[in-house]
């Protein structure tokens, strides 16, 4: 696929790509619609405090992690068209409740539920994989994710203007948020009728069980359990922070911890229920896949997307304090880190497509992140500002490119499990953000840059040891196993029996 092909909108796959990144763009626009209106909210609602908004910010990412896992399972069962449409329509409800909420409970709960909208990322990844062949998937996924992630920046740029000039008054922020929610719901309905799950004749291959990821060996099952525990376990850090801020009692925190333990236990039971019968029966050789590759890509998304979310949160203050800049100037310079996303992420996927070796590209990007953040750790007020900005952009280029390269590999690992694998890797990005942001509260910016550089280097080592080049990574079609065909035949018989 060439870059110029994205303008050929009459091609069905290109049209599907545009429809899907627009959906992703809108969901991220709604997800991050609070931060740019925070000052307006404080002026409008006299009982709201800055600490309340910080709590809402934590809630805004809280349920994204489990939601990405659950949505990943739903994708493999219902397909991305239905899941994306339903997600957009359903999530417009908490967005509207937040817009017109008049109590602390209404705002808190609605923002908590709305955080599930972050799962939209894995839906589009799956839909894009349905439309594009393995040899083109890197650029397609990067283009989708690059423009989609730009939705958060677009919200920051446009929402204050909409609130102040289109609606105005004390409640302008409410109508601006409500407008974004209504647009999302309307697009969700449109998306249902405007797209299909892949080109005509495409077979939507499903896993045998959607409640847990299938694996190929007993050893892989143990690894899956170990990699599953942090996905929900990391929510304990959020509970600890909320309790420390005084918004949750010790009893309430204990209940939350118990719920987290119960959910983790339930997930482990589901992994055993799905995989023990499969492994006892034996997995055909042509259906096996390397779980180590999934684990390696979990670590890359932890180290690149997790670092991105954390760095974006602290970079403006770092520039402001280190070079004595105004808040506006520091914000504009720091924004360069996010804006690089528009070009670097699609380029990461494109390079992954063109180099003929997706593993080498992944390793190169992760090593580049290590070097970039280590250089940022060396920066201080004696450095010329222009050099510091250049290193920041250089580092961002590798961070965003690594994100694109990660999802350039995932669809080729195991076709019928793409939704679950995407959900797991995507969730690890949020796990990384929670861990890194928590660490940042205890260290200086310089120490923080060295820590995330170390995290990227550890991920590079894991990729060196575990990541394998996908067998069908550059083929015209995804690899189909004997089990895929068997499941397809069982589904055909089931549908035939249902119609007779």
């Amino acid at each position: 696929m060439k870059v110029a092909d994205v303008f050929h909108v009459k091609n069905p796959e290109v049209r599907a790509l545009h429809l899907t990144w627009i959906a992703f763009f809108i969901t991220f626009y709604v997800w991050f619609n609070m931060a740019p209106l925070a000052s307006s909210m404080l002026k409008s609602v006299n009982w709201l405090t800055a600490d309340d908004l910080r709590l809402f910010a934590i809630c805004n990412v809280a349920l994204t992690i489990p939601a990405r896992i659950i949505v990943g399972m739903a994708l493999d069962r219902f397909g991305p068209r239905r899941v994306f449409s339903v997600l957009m329509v359903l999530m417009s409800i908490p967005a509207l409740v937040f817009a017109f909420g008049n109590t602390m409970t209404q705002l808190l709960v609605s923002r908590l539920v709305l955080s599930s909208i972050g799962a939209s990322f894995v839906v589009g990844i799956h839909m894009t994989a349905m439309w594009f062949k393995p040899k083109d998937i890197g650029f397609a996924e990067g283009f989708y994710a690059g423009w989609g992630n730009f939705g958060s920046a677009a919200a920051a740029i446009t929402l204050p203007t909409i609130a102040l000039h289109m609606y105005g008054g004390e409640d302008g922020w409410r109508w601006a948020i409500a407008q974004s929610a209504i647009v999302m719901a309307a697009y969700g309905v449109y998306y249902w009728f405007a797209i299909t799950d892949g080109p005509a004749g495409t077979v939507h291959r499903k896993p045998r069980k959607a409640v847990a990821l299938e694996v190929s060996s007993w050893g892989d099952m143990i690894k899956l359990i170990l990699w599953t525990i942090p996905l929900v376990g990391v929510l304990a850090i959020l509970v600890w922070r909320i309790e420390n801020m005084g918004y949750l009692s010790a009893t309430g925190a204990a209940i939350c911890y118990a719920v987290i333990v119960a959910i983790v236990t339930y997930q482990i039971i589901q992994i055993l229920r799905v995989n023990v019968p499969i492994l006892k029966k034996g997995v055909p050789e042509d259906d096996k896949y390397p779980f180590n590759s999934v684990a390696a890509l979990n670590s890359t998304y932890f180290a690149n997307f997790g670092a991105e979310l954390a760095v974006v949160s602290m970079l403006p203050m770092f520039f402001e304090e280190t070079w004595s800049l105004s808040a506006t100037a520091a914000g504009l310079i720091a924004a360069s880190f996010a804006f690089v996303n528009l070009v670097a992420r699609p380029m990461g996927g494109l390079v992954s497509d063109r180099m003929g070796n997706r593993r080498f590209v992944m390793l190169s990007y992760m090593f580049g992140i290590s070097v970039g953040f280590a250089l940022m750790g060396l920066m201080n007020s004696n450095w010329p500002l222009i050099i510091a900005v250049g290193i920041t952009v250089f580092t961002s280029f590798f961070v965003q490119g690594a994100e694109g390269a990660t999802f350039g590999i995932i669809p080729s690992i195991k076709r019928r499990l793409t939704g679950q694998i995407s959900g797991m890797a995507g969730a690890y990005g949020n796990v990384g953000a929670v861990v890194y942001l928590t660490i940042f509260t205890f260290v200086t910016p310089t120490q923080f840059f060295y820590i995330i550089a170390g995290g990227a280097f550890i991920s590079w080592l894991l990729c060196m040891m575990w990541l394998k080049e996908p067998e069908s990574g550059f083929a015209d079609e995804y690899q189909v196993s004997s089990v895929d065909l068997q499941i397809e035949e069982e589904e055909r018989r089931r549908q035939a029996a249902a119609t007779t």
Side-chain angles (χ1 to χ4, degrees):
M1 183 180 182
K2 300 176 182 176
V3 176
D5 289 341
V6 299
F7 298 105
H8 299 160
V9 293
K10 290 184 178 179
N11 291 346
E13 67 273 19
V14 175
R15 182 173 179 272
L17 178 62
H18 289 305
L19 287 171
T20 303
W21 77 252
I22 291 171
F24 183 37
F25 176 92
I26 293 173
T27 56
F28 263 51
Y29 189 98
V30 173
W31 191 14
F32 293 98
N33 62 13
M34 184 189 73
L37 299 172
S39 58
S40 299
M41 292 174 64
L42 287 175
K43 293 175 185 174
S44 169
V45 185
N46 55 18
W47 49 265
L48 207 58
T49 68
D51 283 342
D52 293 331
L53 293 179
R54 279 193 281 271
L55 175 62
F56 294 159
I58 296 173
C59 293
N60 203 41
V61 298
L63 296 186
T64 306
I65 298 169
R68 285 189 170 186
I69 301 168
I70 295 169
V71 166
M73 296 174 182
L75 279 174
D76 290 329
R77 181 165 187 176
F78 301 108
R81 177 183 68 94
R82 294 174 181 169
V83 174
F84 220 154
S85 296
V86 170
L87 186 70
M88 284 188 276
V89 173
L90 281 183
M91 286 300 106
S92 68
I93 297 172
L96 286 170
V97 172
F98 184 83
F100 299 111
N102 283 315
T103 69
M104 182 67 180
T105 302
Q106 289 173 346
L107 297 180
L108 185 70
V109 173
S110 59
R111 187 48 65 173
L112 191 64
V113 175
L114 184 59
S115 66
S116 303
I117 202 173
S120 61
F121 169 70
V122 297
V123 189
I125 286 290
H126 193 93
M127 177 62 93
T128 307
M130 299 286 286
W131 278 93
F132 286 86
K133 298 181 184 300
K135 61 182 180 181
D136 297 323
I137 195 64
F139 176 72
E141 300 283 26
F143 185 85
Y144 155 78
W147 276 98
N149 280 336
F150 188 65
S152 58
I157 294 169
T158 61
L159 278 173
T161 302
I162 293 172
L164 289 173
H165 300 291
M166 183 179 291
Y167 294 108
E170 289 187 350
D171 291 335
W173 67 270
R174 295 183 184 275
W175 290 105
I177 289 177
Q179 176 182 293
S180 67
I182 292 170
V183 169
M184 181 173 68
Y187 194 81
V189 174
Y190 171 72
Y191 193 79
W192 180 284
F193 296 102
I195 198 169
T196 58
D197 288 335
T202 297
V203 177
H204 180 213
R205 303 191 188 285
K206 302 177 181 179
R208 283 172 286 202
K209 300 287 183 181
V211 294
L213 188 64
E214 299 169 27
V215 293
S216 305
S217 69
W218 296 102
D220 284 352
M221 188 177 72
I222 294 172
K223 293 172 189 171
L224 173 60
I225 291 172
L226 293 176
W227 280 89
T228 298
I229 293 172
L231 286 175
V232 177
V234 75
L235 293 178
I237 296 177
L238 290 173
V239 173
W240 170 72
R241 288 183 66 183
I242 293 173
E243 183 186 7
N244 270 13
M245 290 174 68
Y247 290 101
L248 190 63
S249 66
T251 303
I255 293 172
C256 291
Y257 291 134
V259 171
I260 291 170
V261 171
I263 294 174
V264 172
T265 304
Y266 173 79
Q267 285 188 308
I268 293 173
I269 292 172
Q270 293 303 318
I271 290 172
L272 296 173
R273 288 183 62 188
V274 167
N275 285 290
V276 168
I278 294 174
L279 295 174
K280 280 185 175 179
K281 186 179 178 182
V283 180
E285 281 300 319
D286 68 342
D287 196 54
K288 291 182 178 177
Y289 74 95
F291 181 80
N292 279 351
S293 289
V294 179
L297 295 175
N298 288 343
S299 79
T300 63
Y301 218 59
F302 178 106
N304 54 51
F305 188 67
E308 179 192 345
L309 291 183
V311 169
V312 166
S313 301
M314 53 75 69
L315 205 55
M317 187 175 293
F318 171 72
F319 273 103
E320 183 179 349
E321 293 180 350
T322 306
W323 282 274
S324 301
L325 301 174
S326 68
T328 303
L332 286 173
I333 291 174
S336 63
F337 195 91
F339 273 94
V340 173
N341 200 29
L342 279 178
V343 176
R345 185 145 185 168
M347 186 173 291
L350 186 64
V351 172
S352 182
D353 289 344
R354 298 289 174 83
M355 287 291 290
N357 189 328
R358 297 190 190 279
R359 180 178 180 274
F360 173 76
V361 172
M362 190 77 256
L363 286 167
S364 301
Y365 271 119
M366 294 313 296
F367 193 78
I369 294 175
S370 305
V371 174
F373 280 131
L375 289 174
M376 290 181 73
L378 294 172
M379 294 192 307
N380 56 54
S381 58
N382 295 323
W383 285 46
L385 183 59
I386 186 67
I387 300 294
V389 173
I391 290 176
T392 301
V393 171
F394 166 85
T395 307
S396 178
F397 178 84
F398 279 93
V399 171
Q400 322 285 355
E403 294 169 10
T406 299
F407 282 89
I409 297 176
I410 284 177
S412 300
I413 292 179
K414 192 65 184 172
R415 175 64 162 167
R416 73 170 186 273
L417 306 177
T418 298
Q420 290 170 310
I421 296 173
S422 298
M424 191 175 197
Y428 258 96
N430 284 72
V431 173
V434 171
V435 171
Y436 282 146
L437 282 171
T438 303
I439 291 174
F440 182 62
T441 61
F442 299 106
V443 300
T444 66
T446 296
Q447 292 170 330
F448 181 66
F449 287 132
Y450 287 140
I451 288 170
I452 54 180
F457 186 72
I458 291 171
S459 175
W460 178 81
L461 288 174
L462 293 178
C463 288
M464 279 287 289
M465 294 185 294
W466 293 344
L467 184 61
K468 292 185 177 179
E469 185 70 24
E471 292 183 13
S472 61
F474 298 95
D476 286 330
E477 299 296 340
Y478 291 96
Q479 184 180 3
V480 178
S481 71
S482 56
V483 176
D484 292 327
L485 297 175
Q486 180 186 340
I487 295 173
E488 183 182 327
E489 179 60 26
E490 290 171 357
E491 178 67 16
R492 189 180 298 118
R493 290 178 182 171
R494 190 189 63 79
Q495 291 181 357
T499 55
T500 56

